[in-house]
Each structure stands twice: as structure tokens, then as C-alpha cells.
Amino acid sequence: VVQIEGSRGGRKVPSGAGLWLGFWMLGADFDGKNWPECGEIDIMEYVGREPDLIMGTAHGPGYSGALGFSKWNRQKYNIADEFHTYAIEWQADQIDWFYDGVKYHTLTRADVGDRKWVFDHPFFIIVNLAVGGQLAGMIGLNTAFPAQLQVDYVRVFQASTP
């Protein structure tokens, strides 16, 4: 089991339409042209035009882009107002997504059906803030710049072998 989380509890995201934040992992065999075959795990994506929503998604061959195995996790408040934790627990045949310690999504090897399960090799972590893009949408007239993503910490845990 690998658990990855960020911050005081978590990351504090900036608000504003057109901002797109990602806390994600990409297959370490990525060579610049073999996505989605290398695999991608979006631990958390946040777009400023949806201030109460985070998403967790897995992408691979035959389930990439909008076809990724994704779960929306809506809250009753603006996520950018506080720090939060975002995590996955990654096992050989299953990935679980967590928001502030509560599991909200599970993907298993069986869920991908006859498509290839590409989550069985090393990955590396990426934390980024983008402006604009297909998912983020248009930049809002009221979006404040400079925008800042605050990260207190990122941790990686690995279960000990008995």
C-alpha cells in the first residue's frame, strides 16, 4: 500500500475560474509520447470554476482523457477556503482515493475489464498549477493573479513486507 497525501492537512488551492490544479502521478516509463500506456493517477484535480469539487481519476490505454475512471467529490463549501488532504492507497489490484481521510472512490483491476491495468510499475509525483485548458475553461475576469498553490508537505508511505 502506498499512501500519498499533502499538507497541514493538505494543499490549499487558489480559487478562480480558469485555474486547474493537479496532484498526480505518471508512469516512470513515460518517454514523452507513450501516454496513456504509461498510466496516470490523478490523486486530485481541482478547477476553479467548480469551487466545491475535486476529482480523482485513473487513465490508461482505452480509458484516457474524458474516458478515464473518474469520481467527482462535491462538498458543501468552497474547497479553496481551507487546507485539505488528498490521498490514494495504491495496491497491486486496487487504488482507493481519499479526501480529508474519507474514502470516496475505488478502482480495481476488474473494473478496467479487458483493457490493460497499467498500475503495476513505478510512478513519479507531479504537483502543478495550470492556467486555462480544456478542463479549466476560460479564465475568469475576477480570477486574481498571481495565483498560488500552497503545499505544506507530500508524504509517501509503503507498507512493510511481513
Side-chain angles (χ1 to χ4, degrees), residues 36-101:
E37 287 76 17
C38 63
E40 176 181 327
I41 303 169
D42 297 324
I43 300 164
M44 181 279 273
E45 282 186 288
Y46 170 87
V47 292
R49 64 181 161 78
E50 299 268 0
D52 62 343
L53 174 69
I54 59 151
M55 298 168 282
T57 307
H59 301 278
Y63 51 101
S64 60
L67 299 176
F69 288 97
S70 189
K71 177 71 174 187
W72 289 20
N73 187 8
R74 283 212 187 267
Q75 303 304 313
K76 294 181 184 198
Y77 50 83
N78 186 337
I79 291 167
D81 289 345
E82 301 287 334
F83 279 93
H84 299 283
T85 58
Y86 309 92
I88 62 165
E89 289 184 0
W90 176 17
Q91 302 174 52
D93 295 324
Q94 179 173 314
I95 304 168
D96 295 311
W97 280 259
F98 296 83
Y99 173 73
D100 286 342

Side-chain angles (χ1 to χ4, degrees), residues 7-30:
S7 197
R8 206 162 77 233
R11 293 181 354 165
K12 188 169 183 186
V13 299
S15 61
L19 299 179
W20 179 5
L21 296 92
F23 180 28
W24 54 295
M25 299 169 60
L26 194 58
D29 59 343
F30 177 71

